[in-house]
Amino acid sequence: MTQSLAPAVVPMNDLSRGIDRDREDFARVFDEVLASGYVIMGPKHAAFEQELAKYLGVLSASGVASGTDALEIAIKAAMPAGRSIVMTAANAGGYTTTAARRAGYNVRYADVDANSMCLSVETVEQHLSSEIGVVVVTHLYGNLTDINELVAVCHSHGVKVVEDCAQAIGARLSGVAAGSIGDIAATSFYPTKNLGALGDGGAIFTNSEELAVRVRELRQYGWSSKYRVTRAGGTNSRLDELQAGFLGVRLPLLDGLNERRRSIVASYVAAAMDGPLQVLPAASAHHVAHLAVALTDRRDEIRAALSLGGVQTDVHFPVPDHLQPGFAAAAQSLPITERLAQEVLSLPCFPEMTDDEIDAVCTAISALR
């Protein structure tokens, strides 16, 4: 038997492989949409919203045009009257800051827990005030942390909790899905996400009928009925029929694809044992391994060595929000956030990776010793 050779370069991602896997079903959906005559908010869109809500165990799911739109609309829907500040973490790529500012609100940042890299009661509670109306919790890298106590503390201060599930769709903690713990949640269907479309898209989900009504009005001009604007702050943000159909193809595959991601990370964790690279585990259903993330205080050196071993890497995310020049945030110190920004790096992790590619990454990690 001829032994297969390890690839010369292991990519961070290769979207073409997932497209090839699903090509036949995508072609069927395309033909069905063309035949139906519906291109916006048609039967595929309605079916996907229902299927997504059922999958997550929530009352309502509403499709929108992007994950950023989803965050903006969710924040608008949840913001209590008379409040104007959104609190969030500064280590998640700037998406919440962008969405909150587009919604017309100011942003403040809290530091993150050193282990989960997410907001926690300990990092948030000390900053809560009567001005803060919404706390956005990002389940970073696919890790659904236990935020039940944080939600309770926020509610005791009259603060609503928005979950950003863009990296954690399908994660479950004690059987409860990411996005069903806080007041309302947002996700992205950007093509690299665990549940990715062939273009942009997003969704908002909630167990509150009141918030669901607000979302449906806000995503379409503020209409309560056609041409009747009754809610201020409306926009035009709709998930198109083709993307809804494509996502309907992939939703039943999501749990299996997430399990494949977890197995990839487990291989990396084993390869990194006792070495200079600490690969963060994704060992159970609460973590869907959107990214395979590692920590090292020798990042540039390690990335160069992995590159020589044929392994691409990336950094998610190198500049915290409060240090981004374009955000011009008030000066503050977030020591854990700032340290992690200097130490994190991402390894290839997508479910269509071959076993040879996974082995090549493990070999390169083991060689770091």
Side-chain angles (χ1 to χ4, degrees):
M1 181 181 295
T2 303
Q3 186 175 4
S4 60
L5 298 176
V9 175
V10 182
M12 278 295 297
N13 208 331
D14 183 353
L15 295 175
S16 67
R17 301 183 197 182
I19 293 171
D20 285 343
R21 180 197 60 224
D22 301 329
R23 183 179 299 274
E24 185 175 335
D25 286 326
F26 286 164
R28 171 183 53 79
V29 165
F30 185 80
D31 288 341
E32 290 171 353
V33 170
L34 290 183
S36 75
Y38 288 96
V39 292
I40 296 289
M41 287 186 166
K44 296 287 186 189
H45 180 273
F48 176 67
E49 287 186 330
Q50 293 172 3
E51 291 160 6
L52 182 62
K54 181 179 179 180
Y55 173 80
L56 296 168
V58 296
L59 176 69
S60 170
S62 301
V64 294
S66 72
T68 308
D69 281 1
L71 278 170
E72 178 183 348
I73 293 169
I75 291 168
K76 283 181 179 178
M79 182 65 73
R83 303 199 181 193
S84 60
I85 295 177
V86 175
M87 172 162 283
T88 192
N91 67 333
Y95 309 114
T96 294
T97 300
T98 298
R101 290 190 172 190
R102 273 179 33 181
Y105 302 121
N106 294 319
V107 183
R108 292 183 187 168
Y109 303 104
D111 214 347
V112 295
D113 174 75
N115 294 316
S116 71
M117 302 189 187
C118 300
L119 295 181
S120 68
V121 171
E122 291 73 23
T123 65
V124 169
E125 187 172 18
Q126 60 186 309
H127 300 294
L128 292 178
S129 72
S130 60
E131 296 176 297
I132 295 170
V134 167
V135 169
V136 178
V137 178
T138 300
H139 299 304
L140 195 65
Y141 305 138
N143 180 26
L144 168 57
T145 59
D146 187 350
I147 62 168
N148 284 284
E149 185 180 356
L150 176 58
V151 171
V153 167
C154 286
H155 285 176
S156 73
H157 287 79
V159 176
K160 300 295 186 181
V161 176
V162 175
E163 295 180 70
D164 178 358
C165 301
Q167 300 184 26
I169 191 77
R172 296 180 185 273
L173 185 65
S174 301
V176 178
S180 63
I181 304 169
D183 296 284
I184 194 168
T187 199
S188 168
F189 301 127
Y190 186 77
T192 59
K193 302 303 185 187
N194 293 41
L195 180 59
L198 296 193
D200 228 328
I204 304 158
F205 28 102
T206 182
N207 279 310
S208 165
E209 179 59 34
E210 179 183 2
L211 291 178
V213 169
R214 291 182 195 173
V215 165
R216 288 192 289 269
E217 292 175 352
L218 286 167
R219 75 175 174 182
Q220 187 159 264
Y221 311 118
W223 286 355
S224 57
S225 59
K226 194 171 184 180
Y227 304 135
R228 183 173 176 81
V229 178
T230 55
R231 187 167 300 279
T235 187
N236 175 16
S237 182
R238 295 173 292 206
L239 179 66
D240 75 66
E241 189 76 350
L242 272 175
Q243 299 305 333
F246 296 153
L247 290 162
V249 167
R250 285 184 162 172
L251 182 58
L253 307 177
L254 181 59
D255 287 345
L257 297 177
N258 284 344
E259 185 56 43
R260 173 63 170 172
R261 289 174 178 271
R262 281 190 285 265
S263 72
I264 293 168
V265 172
S267 296
Y268 297 169
V269 169
M273 197 71 66
D274 300 322
L277 196 64
Q278 177 194 355
V279 179
L280 305 182
S284 62
H286 75 89
H287 204 310
V288 293
H290 171 63
L291 295 169
V293 176
L295 297 175
T296 176
D297 59 4
R298 298 157 45 195
R299 186 167 68 192
D300 291 346
E301 174 191 343
I302 294 293
R303 291 191 72 193
L306 291 171
S307 180
L308 287 174
V311 176
Q312 291 185 353
T313 61
D314 205 340
V315 177
H316 298 87
F317 299 94
V319 183
D321 292 18
H322 68 300
L323 300 179
Q324 291 281 10
F327 290 152
Q332 68 178 118
S333 175
L334 301 173
I336 297 173
T337 296
E338 291 162 20
R339 174 177 62 81
L340 291 172
Q342 299 299 314
E343 295 183 357
V344 295
L345 67 87
S346 302
L347 300 162
C349 183
F350 56 102
E352 298 82 18
M353 287 182 73
T354 67
D355 290 344
D356 281 349
E357 286 174 326
I358 297 167
D359 289 344
V361 177
C362 290
T363 298
I365 292 172
S366 297
L368 296 173
R369 293 182 176 82

